Amino acid sequence: QPSLDDPDYLEAKRKVSMATRNEGIDRFIADYNVDILVAPTLSPAFLIDPVHGDSYDGSIGVGWMAAMSGYPQLTVPMGVIHDLPVGVSFFGTGGTDARVLAIGHAYEMRSQKRVTPSYLPSVDASPSIGNAMGGTEEN
């Protein structure tokens, strides 16, 4: 069983840190002279099919780099697309946790994009979702 002192593990950890920190988030922030990075978190929430299971397409979203680097990342509501929620992510370099939280909070308070979740009895209860799934909207 390899340990946390294993040379292969330490080399892999060094490479991930270099790619996500030095050549990733730190470089973007320095090259573009910005305080933090902002990007859509992922596509809209995926639908759950009670017969066939989740329709998740396997996307990992923008937060992977922050997660792998150990840097702060915050996702807040950005609105809805076809009645499904979407988020926006804010992330920064090491030690910028307070800045990321403050800017994300300011965006969330100013945008007022948070919506109260609802649980529909079926996809047919939302014409917008039905259309997104290839159905037709009834008039």
Side-chain angles (χ1 to χ4, degrees):
Q1 178 86 5
S3 72
L4 295 178
D5 296 327
D6 181 271
D8 290 337
Y9 169 77
L10 293 174
E11 178 60 13
K13 184 177 171 185
R14 186 194 67 75
K15 286 180 180 178
V16 166
S17 180
M18 179 65 72
T20 60
R21 290 180 176 200
N22 306 60
E23 296 299 323
I25 295 171
D26 294 341
R27 186 171 190 170
F28 281 121
I29 287 176
D31 286 356
Y32 295 99
N33 193 30
V34 295
D35 290 334
I36 65 169
L37 301 174
V38 180
T41 302
L42 192 59
S43 59
F46 58 91
L47 299 171
I48 297 173
D49 182 329
V51 175
H52 300 102
D54 294 347
S55 61
Y56 177 62
D57 67 3
S59 300
I60 59 172
V62 74
W64 70 269
M65 192 178 293
M68 291 178 77
S69 69
Y71 285 171
Q73 186 258 342
L74 171 70
T75 298
V76 299
M78 184 171 70
V80 295
I81 297 176
H82 296 295
D83 294 334
L84 297 171
V86 290
V88 60
S89 287
F90 300 84
F91 48 104
T93 62
T96 61
D97 303 52
R99 181 181 298 153
V100 168
L101 291 173
I103 293 172
H105 176 74
Y107 168 83
E108 186 175 12
M109 294 299 99
R110 178 76 176 175
S111 71
Q112 295 294 302
K113 295 294 183 180
R114 179 175 295 280
V115 294
T116 302
S118 62
Y119 298 95
L120 304 175
S122 76
V123 71
D124 298 325
S126 172
S128 182
I129 295 174
N131 288 339
M133 292 182 63
T136 59
E137 186 171 337
E138 295 180 18
N139 293 322

